DNA sequence: GTTACTTTGATATTCAATTTCACTGGAGGG
DNA sequence: CCCTCCAGTGAAATTGAATATCAAAGTAAC
């Protein structure tokens, strides 16, 4: 938590930017959330305690957080981009329930390895990837 | 080709819809294209021979084609949805060059199998999935 | 305090996706 | 072959998220 604030502080100063009150408030509120949330959702959260902070500032701060690696932008095809806190650089992919919207995170190193093999076959240099599995979660299947 | 027209015809009639000139023109033009194309691109193609056909009709017909399984909707995160012709139900995933936009298709049954294992672990019923690998193609890497 | 910035936040703009609605035209029944 | 009805069409409007704009406010160095 505090370690992440430090990362942000350093990034801000490296870039010649300023550590403003708004940015700190937004960062704190973002770190407090778990799971995946949209700019709109974070904006509404922030707004409760700090009604003066504007949508544009939340939007720009989330971009900053993504730049410095504290946040990961996710587009699950639901019309709006979601953000999530990145935990010590660990990568993961998602199972997404199209019924109730639940998002389950998973990692599978075997799949990651096979992706590398595929890329190699086509002489392709991987920068990033996304694997999303859509369907029904256990709760929605049983009901 | 003709077989696909038949599939469309059947779907249309099953749904109590009408096989209009516009829909046939759009279907034919769509089947003639290879690779991935946007609604806009197909619209422009169609327009050349049939300037009277509107964008909304192309848009709606692509939705129909997706519904009956002749087309697959793809969102590669580039701001607009792309469509591609589905060839005899074969699934594939994509390597996407973020430099030049080239899209390479691949299938890897081992990855597909591992996805099933992951889903099973979480008691999740797979309906669909997307795996996209972003990076640089061989051409862009060498230059 | 003055200067030279950056940041903020209300608002405007963009752009694809989608909807609207008055007019048109397939297709089945006669 | 003609009717009639209801789905289809297409120009235009609307939506909604993402992003840009810009005047006012804030910040830090001089
Ligand atoms: Mn996640
Ligand atoms: Mn493809
Ligand atoms: Zn569910
Ligand atoms: Zn390339």
């Amino acid at each position: 938590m505090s370690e992440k604030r430090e990362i942000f502080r350093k990034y801000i100063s490296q870039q010649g930017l300023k550590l403003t009150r708004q940015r700190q408030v937004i960062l704190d509120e973002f770190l407090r959330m778990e799971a995946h949330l949209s700019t709109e959702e974070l904006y509404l959260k922030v707004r409760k305690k700090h009604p003066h902070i504007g949508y544009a500032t939340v939007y720009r701060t989330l971009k900053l957080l993504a730049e410095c690696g504290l946040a990961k932008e996710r587009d699950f095809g639901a019309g709006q981009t979601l953000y999530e806190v990145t935990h010590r650089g660990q990568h993961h992919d998602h199972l997404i329930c199209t019924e109730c919207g639940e998002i389950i995170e998973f990692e599978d190193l075997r799949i990651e390895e096979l992706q590398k093999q595929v890329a190699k076959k086509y002489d392709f240099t991987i920068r990033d990837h996304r694997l999303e599995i859509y369907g029904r979660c256990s709760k929605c299947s049983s009901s």
Side-chain angles (χ1 to χ4, degrees), chain A:
Chain A
M1 201 63 134
S2 194
E3 167 201 349
K4 286 180 176 168
R5 281 202 209 115
E6 199 46 44
I7 291 173
F8 187 59
R9 189 189 311 275
K10 276 184 186 166
Y11 180 77
I12 287 289
S13 101
Q14 271 173 14
Q15 300 293 310
L17 305 176
K18 288 169 184 171
L19 189 63
T20 64
R21 234 173 318 120
Q22 288 91 330
R23 284 174 177 167
Q24 293 181 67
V25 164
I26 294 164
L27 169 63
D28 286 351
E29 205 60 52
F30 175 65
L31 293 177
R32 189 165 298 127
M33 310 283 303
E34 72 271 338
H36 312 78
L37 85 172
S38 65
T39 308
E40 178 73 18
E41 285 167 336
L42 183 57
Y43 168 61
L44 292 176
K45 271 282 186 212
V46 165
R47 206 169 212 258
K48 285 184 183 171
K49 292 183 188 171
H50 306 270
H52 55 92
I53 294 183
Y55 180 89
T57 304
V58 174
Y59 165 77
R60 285 181 294 228
T61 304
L62 276 172
K63 288 280 176 198
L64 276 180
L65 292 174
E67 277 171 39
C68 72
L70 289 177
K72 174 83 179 165
E73 242 173 277
R74 298 280 188 185
D75 175 9
F76 293 144
Q80 57 182 4
T81 304
L82 302 182
Y83 289 84
E84 65 179 321
V85 180
T86 51
H87 295 289
R88 46 203 135 269
Q90 85 185 189
H91 167 79
H92 63 259
D93 291 303
H94 299 88
L95 292 158
I96 298 159
C97 180
T98 50
E99 208 69 32
C100 70
E102 190 184 342
I103 298 173
I104 302 166
E105 304 184 334
F106 73 92
E107 329 177 48
D108 192 302
L109 296 178
R110 298 168 301 173
I111 293 178
E112 307 281 321
E113 175 54 31
L114 288 171
Q115 288 181 43
K116 285 177 195 162
Q117 287 184 26
V118 168
K120 194 166 192 177
K121 180 175 166 187
Y122 292 98
D123 199 10
F124 189 92
T125 311
I126 297 180
R127 187 172 301 169
D128 196 8
H129 74 263
R130 64 198 284 187
L131 170 55
E132 285 141 28
I133 301 177
Y134 299 93
R136 295 181 133 202
C137 71
S138 54
K139 284 181 192 171
C140 291
S141 287
S142 59
S143 65

